[in-house]
Amino acid sequence: MKLTSDIHVVGGGYYGFDISGRLDCHVYVINSGSELAIVDPGCGINKDFDTVLSNIRDDGLDPKNIRKIFVTHYHCDHVGAAAEARTILDAEMCAAKSVATQIRNGDEKAASLDVGKAVGFYPEDFKLKPCEVDVELSEGDIVQIGSLTMETFETPGHCEGHLSFLLSGGERKYLFGGDMVFWGGKILLQNIHDCKIDVYADSIFKIEELDFDALLPGHLQISLNNGKSHVKQAADYFRKLGIPPNICLLYTSPSPRDGLLSRMPSSA
């Protein structure tokens, strides 16, 4: 699904456009003209990444031109398909230096897969496949995608090793925010080991200082214009010593361990 001349949405599940696997985050393709890149390849359950590839082709793009895979963070709905994508596409995997070891090892506890299974979000038989990280990214690192530049910002809070990316040089400036901030200034706090409110606030304040047009989050609504206004809304809550509205991406099921996906709780 083409958003602009630079950006396509080629995946996303229940909390998106339902165009690939049910648990997939938004999967974006960057089109520089001469080179393509993926941001967050999705969860990769069963053959879901095949659907992502099919969507890329349906948009008139050749997956063979994808040279880089970026991941915003190591939660499985974003990184579960990374190993498969890297192998199929023969592309470089780009992730945060601070959690590169965990991604390489397929560390399910670090990625909170254990608690995700316990509440029925992920199927019991789902495994996080280890994935080599070819490019370890830190604050300020810039990666070239053809004529476009992708700048790295460390934005922990939702989890450790969370990155946001600022894409420049195209039709407009885009912020790939992962699960840091969403439409309406909402954020995603979860009861997991590495989600920290004070760290989250610092990340929001950092991103508020950037100049960009479009906010491309990991789930839910996309804002192609005035994207920065949503970050400012979140920052205003934090400045007043409060907490922005929280979205909930957990499913409940009759049994907390049966892996069924039944209904979405109301947002907080």
Side-chain angles (χ1 to χ4, degrees):
M1 182 169 61
K2 185 175 181 179
L3 293 181
T4 68
S5 61
D6 312 307
I7 305 295
H8 296 246
V9 179
V10 296
Y14 187 84
Y15 299 106
F17 302 103
D18 270 332
I19 57 174
S20 63
R22 189 172 176 86
L23 293 184
D24 285 346
C25 64
H26 289 328
V27 182
Y28 297 99
V29 163
I30 299 168
N31 182 8
S32 72
S34 61
E35 180 182 340
L36 305 178
I38 279 184
V39 179
D40 286 339
C43 198
I45 292 178
N46 298 323
K47 297 292 185 179
D48 288 343
F49 191 68
D50 287 347
T51 303
V52 172
L53 293 174
S54 178
N55 291 337
I56 293 171
R57 296 186 187 99
D58 287 347
D59 273 8
L61 303 175
D62 187 348
K64 293 180 181 178
N65 292 328
I66 296 172
R67 307 312 321 141
K68 298 176 180 68
I69 302 164
F70 295 86
V71 294
T72 57
H73 60 296
Y74 59 13
H75 288 165
C76 294
D77 53 332
H78 293 253
V79 78
E84 181 181 5
R86 180 178 178 272
T87 299
I88 291 173
L89 301 173
D90 191 26
E92 288 185 323
M93 169 71 168
C94 307
K97 181 177 182 179
S98 59
V99 295
T101 297
Q102 290 89 324
I103 293 173
R104 289 189 179 103
N105 294 337
D107 190 333
E108 296 184 352
K109 190 172 183 63
S112 298
L113 179 57
D114 55 341
V115 294
K117 287 182 178 181
V119 299
F121 188 84
Y122 296 102
E124 282 292 337
D125 60 353
F126 177 73
K127 303 293 183 184
L128 177 59
K129 295 179 181 178
C131 181
E132 181 57 56
V133 176
D134 303 289
V135 180
E136 298 184 5
L137 297 173
S138 299
E139 180 79 18
D141 285 346
I142 294 177
V143 179
Q144 207 69 28
I145 307 168
S147 61
L148 307 179
T149 58
M150 190 81 136
E151 186 173 0
T152 306
F153 295 87
E154 296 179 359
T155 53
H158 172 67
C159 67
E160 292 180 5
H162 192 290
L163 300 178
S164 297
F165 300 105
L166 184 66
L167 183 71
S168 303
E171 181 178 309
R172 63 194 78 189
K173 286 189 176 181
Y174 307 88
L175 181 77
F176 295 94
D179 284 357
M180 177 190 62
V181 64
F182 301 88
W183 193 95
K186 296 180 176 66
I187 61 172
L188 182 46
L189 293 171
Q190 295 175 305
N191 184 21
I192 55 176
H193 69 96
D194 55 353
C195 186
K196 300 175 182 177
I197 293 176
D198 57 337
V199 177
Y200 212 137
D202 287 342
S203 293
I204 291 290
F205 293 147
K206 176 193 292 186
I207 296 303
E208 186 188 23
E209 297 300 313
L210 302 181
D211 178 31
F212 60 93
D213 305 296
L215 174 63
L216 305 181
H219 307 275
L220 306 175
Q221 297 100 316
I222 290 170
S223 181
L224 291 180
N225 296 294
N226 302 314
K228 185 172 176 177
S229 66
H230 305 289
V231 180
K232 185 179 186 305
Q233 289 179 63
D236 286 343
Y237 277 104
F238 279 130
R239 262 191 291 273
K240 297 173 184 176
L241 306 186
I243 299 174
N246 194 43
I247 66 172
C248 184
L249 297 188
L250 290 181
Y251 293 83
T252 59
S253 58
S255 168
R257 300 192 63 81
D258 65 9
L260 296 175
L261 308 178
S262 57
R263 69 179 180 84
M264 179 175 67
S266 298
S267 298

